Amino acid sequence: MAPMQEDETHQEVKTPLQLISQGVCLPGIPKHPTFAAQRQWMLEKMALAFRVFARLGYTDGMAGHISVRDPENPHTFWTNPLAVHFGLLKVSDMILVDYEGVPIGGNRSRPANAAGFLIHSAVHKARPDVMAACHTHSPHGMAWSAFGRPLEMLTQDAAYLYGDAQAVYQDFGGVVLTQDEGDRIGTALGPKGKGMILQNHGLLTVGSTVDEACFLMTLMERACQCQLLAEAAAANGLPKVLIPEESAKYTFDNSSDPETLYWEGQPDLQYEEYMCNGEHRG
């Protein structure tokens, strides 16, 4: 038998984004030439993410927040004003705060959410790799959080949170109004966490872009809904079948990288931009 040629044995290792793109590959995460341009882009995406959450019914009074680390001053982050509906938020509404909780830029006519600041500042301090974090009181997320258990690998989507990518914070101490409680939440996320169930509270997701964190929130909420439906069926005698460990890891490895998750977030964000006719940029 003739020896195999080198070009026959060498196989190019494809990125997850290349694997999912049949034909021309989707481009990577956009980069911008100045901090100002990067900041504007991030804040526009942040406003759209809030509008996604509003459309999906994640609003709950004054609860819920998104934070985005400033690209120029990484020890500060942007967050939403207290008591403004998610579906109305624009770039000019966002507040820039430092790690001491002092508003230092953006809209200072409204306060930020104190509980939100304590949670998000702890997450950003504990995880320098996190550019954006989302926290909501979504209905199915709150319902599943009452069990204090991680999501099981029941669906392909749940496998995006395989292994250390998912955390559970079980030490609910009431509304987060102390630095200690915020710090415990930040620690519980762990060095590789992408999503966390806050027992008796709700969901938290993080990402290298706000697009990623937003998508993971919608994914995690749906996964909680599926888990609750599966639990109800199982209670009536239908056995659950979990994804095998090897398959869950394979799905995670080939679907849950920053570039792929950035693009997973685009359809909902594009839809919101179309529906609001660019109002979010104001």
Side-chain angles (χ1 to χ4, degrees):
M1 182 181 294
M4 296 183 68
Q5 298 297 314
E6 184 177 347
D7 59 353
E8 292 180 277
T9 58
H10 176 71
Q11 292 185 350
E12 180 186 358
V13 177
K14 293 186 176 182
T15 68
L17 198 58
Q18 289 172 329
L19 288 170
I20 197 65
S21 299
Q22 186 68 32
V24 63
C25 184
L26 288 168
I29 299 169
K31 297 180 180 179
H32 299 85
T34 65
F35 287 127
Q38 181 78 5
R39 182 181 297 114
Q40 179 68 23
W41 175 74
M42 291 167 66
L43 291 176
E44 288 180 10
K45 291 301 190 77
M46 181 181 180
L48 289 173
F50 275 116
R51 289 167 184 255
V52 170
F53 292 170
R55 175 168 54 84
L56 295 175
Y58 299 174
T59 58
D60 184 18
M62 295 192 293
H65 7 85
I66 296 175
S67 63
V68 175
R69 190 189 299 273
D70 188 80
E72 184 175 10
N73 302 293
H75 298 296
T76 67
F77 60 89
W78 296 85
T79 190
N80 50 303
L82 190 63
V84 178
H85 194 278
F86 289 177
L88 300 175
L89 284 167
K90 306 183 296 293
V91 168
S92 59
D93 292 316
M94 307 308 176
I95 306 168
L96 180 66
V97 297
D98 63 18
Y99 281 172
E100 302 304 316
V102 178
I104 58 174
N107 172 26
R108 283 177 274 186
S109 66
R110 282 259 189 159
N113 186 312
F117 164 75
L118 292 168
I119 293 172
H120 289 263
S121 61
V123 168
H124 284 291
K125 283 188 283 188
R127 290 281 301 277
D129 61 307
V130 165
M131 290 300 294
C134 302
H135 168 60
T136 70
H137 292 185
S138 56
H140 299 99
M142 286 194 292
W144 180 247
S145 77
F147 295 94
R149 290 169 48 196
L151 290 160
E152 295 176 327
M153 297 295 102
L154 291 173
T155 65
Q156 176 176 293
D157 285 359
Y160 283 41
L161 297 169
Y162 168 80
D164 292 342
Q166 183 184 185
V168 179
Y169 178 67
Q170 296 178 319
D171 300 321
F172 178 69
V175 176
V176 182
L177 296 176
T178 67
Q179 187 66 55
D180 285 347
E181 181 81 356
D183 289 344
R184 286 195 294 271
I185 290 173
T187 300
L189 181 62
K192 297 181 180 179
K194 292 175 177 285
M196 181 160 63
I197 295 166
L198 306 176
Q199 185 174 302
N200 306 112
H201 189 170
L203 303 178
L204 174 77
T205 59
V206 301
S208 59
T209 60
V210 68
D211 316 61
E212 177 182 351
C214 172
F215 171 71
L216 286 173
M217 179 60 69
T218 63
L219 177 143
M220 204 167 187
E221 166 66 5
R222 286 195 303 272
C224 287
Q225 182 180 12
C226 290
Q227 180 87 47
L228 290 163
L229 290 170
E231 294 292 338
N236 286 299
L238 292 175
K240 291 184 293 185
V241 178
L242 300 183
I243 297 174
E245 188 83 7
E246 183 179 353
S247 298
K249 184 179 186 304
Y250 177 84
T251 301
F252 175 81
D253 289 343
N254 289 287
S255 304
S256 202
D257 66 300
E259 281 193 339
T260 306
L261 292 176
Y262 165 81
W263 276 104
E264 290 275 21
Q266 297 317 299
D268 275 343
L269 295 174
Q270 290 166 0
Y271 179 75
E272 291 303 330
E273 184 170 13
Y274 172 79
M275 292 300 292
C276 74
N277 197 29
E279 183 186 78
H280 66 291
R281 299 191 185 96

